[in-house]
Amino acid sequence: MEETPLLPLLFLASLLSCNAHQAHLTVSPSSSQFFKGSLVTLHCEEDDGSAHSSFSLRRNTSKKLMIQCGDDFGIWSVSSCTISYIYTWDSGVYWCESKEGPISNMVNLTVTGGSVILQSPVLPVMEGDDVTLLCKTKTTPSNLPAAFYKDGSLIRKQPTGHMTIQHVSRSDEGLYKCDISGHGESPSSWITVTDRPATTVLPTSGTPETSQTSLHFDFTLIRYLVVFCPYFISTLIIVSLYQCRGNDPSISEPMSQGIE
Ligand SMILES: *[C@@H]1O[C@H](CO)[C@@H](O)[C@H](O)[C@H]1NC(C)=O
Ligand SMILES: *[C@@H]1O[C@H](CO)[C@@H](O)[C@H](O)[C@H]1NC(C)=O
C-alpha cells in the first residue's frame, strides 16, 4: 500500500491545476524596448476567453517590487494597463496575477532615455521560426544602417536596420543589442527560444538553461496538466474506487457472486 498516501496528494495537485487560470501577457506596440515618453499598453488575455475582474497586472522594477497597475502606475481598464508616458524607471518585469498568484508569462520591458532601441520579440520565440529585429532611432523616420550584437560580439551589419534570423534554434538564444553609427547604442534584450510544443507527450527535451526558459517550461507543463486533468481525475477516482472494492470483502464478494 505504498501508493495510498500518494493518491490524495496527486488528487489535490490535479484539482489545483484545474482551478488555475492561465493568461497571456502581450505588449502593444510589440517590443521589449521603448523610448522614454512612448505610450505602452499591456494586456492580460485569459486563455479560455472568459472575463476575470479579479485579474491584476504587477511589476518589479529596480526601485519598487510587486506594485500594481491602476494603484501604483498606469491606468487599468478591462484587463489592460496603459502607461501613457513611459519613463526609464518603468523598466522591469511585468506579469498578470489572479488571487492565487502569477498566472501569465513574464515580460521584460526596457525604457531608454537614449536615441536607439532594438525592437525584439517580447515573447519567447519558437524553434524553427524566423525572427526579425529592428534597430530604430528616435529622431530619424527612415531606417538607417545598423550593427547587431549578440552576447557582446558583432554578428551582422545590415544596411536597412533590419536583421532576420531564419529558423531560430537554441543557439540563437542570448542578449542582443544594436548600434547606429552617429546615434548610439540600444539597451540589451534577451531573446529566448522555446521548443515547439510536442504533439503527443509532455515536452522533455532540452534542459532549461536560464530561469526564463524554465519559467516558460513550467507554464507549458501547467497547460498540459489543465488539458489532461479531467482525464487524470476520472482515472484517479476509478483507481480509488477499485481499491476500495478490492480491500473490502463485503463489496467484492457480492460482486464476484453476481458474475458467477
Ligand atoms: C518580484 O519581487 C518579489 C519580491 O522580491 C519576488 O518575490 C518575485 O519573485 C519577483 N518577481 C519577478 C518576476 O521577478
Ligand atoms: C529579464 O531580464 C533579466 C535581466 O536581464 C533576465 O535575467 C531575465 O531572464 C529576463 N526575463 C524575461 C522573462 O525575459
Side-chain angles (χ1 to χ4, degrees):
M1 285 293 107
E2 251 178 58
E3 68 274 23
T4 314
L6 202 66
L7 274 174
L9 270 180
L10 281 173
F11 191 66
L12 194 68
S14 57
L15 268 183
L16 283 174
S17 63
C18 273
N19 287 338
H21 293 294
Q22 284 300 318
H24 273 305
L25 173 58
T26 55
V27 183
S28 173
S30 184
S31 177
S32 50
Q33 296 186 5
F34 294 95
F35 293 117
K36 183 187 134 193
S38 306
L39 170 94
V40 179
T41 305
L42 298 115
H43 186 63
C44 293
E45 214 167 280
E46 176 107 16
D47 279 2
D48 66 9
S50 59
H52 274 279
S53 49
S54 56
F55 270 10
S56 62
L57 183 123
R58 288 181 185 273
R59 74 179 192 194
N60 283 354
T61 62
S62 57
K63 285 193 173 157
K64 284 184 176 160
L65 299 173
M66 307 285 285
I67 62 171
Q68 186 173 333
C69 181
D71 293 350
D72 311 296
F73 68 95
I75 296 165
W76 179 246
S77 165
V78 211
S79 302
S80 290
C81 182
T82 304
I83 304 171
S84 55
Y85 191 106
I86 203 161
Y87 289 94
T88 51
W89 55 81
D90 291 312
S91 299
V93 53
Y94 291 73
W95 68 92
C96 309
E97 262 195 35
S98 72
K99 271 171 279 170
E100 291 92 36
I103 52 158
S104 76
N105 51 307
M106 313 262 168
V107 157
N108 266 345
L109 297 186
T110 306
V111 185
T112 178
S115 55
V116 177
I117 56 167
L118 174 69
Q119 280 195 333
S120 62
V122 198
L123 302 177
V125 184
M126 217 173 281
E127 224 171 2
D129 284 354
D130 294 348
V131 179
T132 298
L133 308 179
L134 174 61
C135 196
K136 277 176 78 166
T137 59
K138 193 174 190 175
T139 48
T140 326
S142 61
N143 297 320
L144 300 170
F148 292 85
Y149 299 81
K150 175 179 180 268
D151 302 322
S153 325
L154 176 71
I155 47 168
R156 257 189 255 175
K157 285 187 173 173
Q158 297 287 103
T160 61
H162 287 82
M163 182 181 85
T164 300
I165 311 169
Q166 280 170 333
H167 310 295
V168 290
S169 68
R170 284 278 170 157
S171 62
D172 293 313
E173 212 163 61
L175 200 56
Y176 287 77
K177 68 178 180 185
C178 68
D179 185 288
I180 294 178
S181 151
H183 290 264
E185 197 176 89
S186 75
S188 298
S189 281
W190 274 98
I191 293 180
T192 316
V193 180
T194 59
D195 293 335
R196 285 211 164 270
T199 45
T200 48
V201 287
L202 287 171
T204 49
S205 60
T207 32
E209 280 149 23
T210 65
S211 59
Q212 195 176 353
T213 46
S214 77
L215 265 177
H216 190 271
F217 182 78
D218 287 346
F219 186 56
T220 318
L221 189 65
I222 286 166
R223 290 181 67 168
Y224 273 100
L225 282 177
V226 169
V227 169
F228 285 118
C229 67
Y231 164 78
F232 192 46
I233 286 176
S234 48
T235 308
L236 282 175
I237 289 172
I238 290 167
V239 166
S240 51
L241 278 179
Y242 212 76
Q243 276 204 334
C244 293
R245 289 191 172 181
N247 293 342
D248 192 343
S250 67
I251 297 175
S252 61
E253 259 179 35
M255 255 185 79
S256 50
Q257 276 168 8
I259 291 163
E260 279 160 10

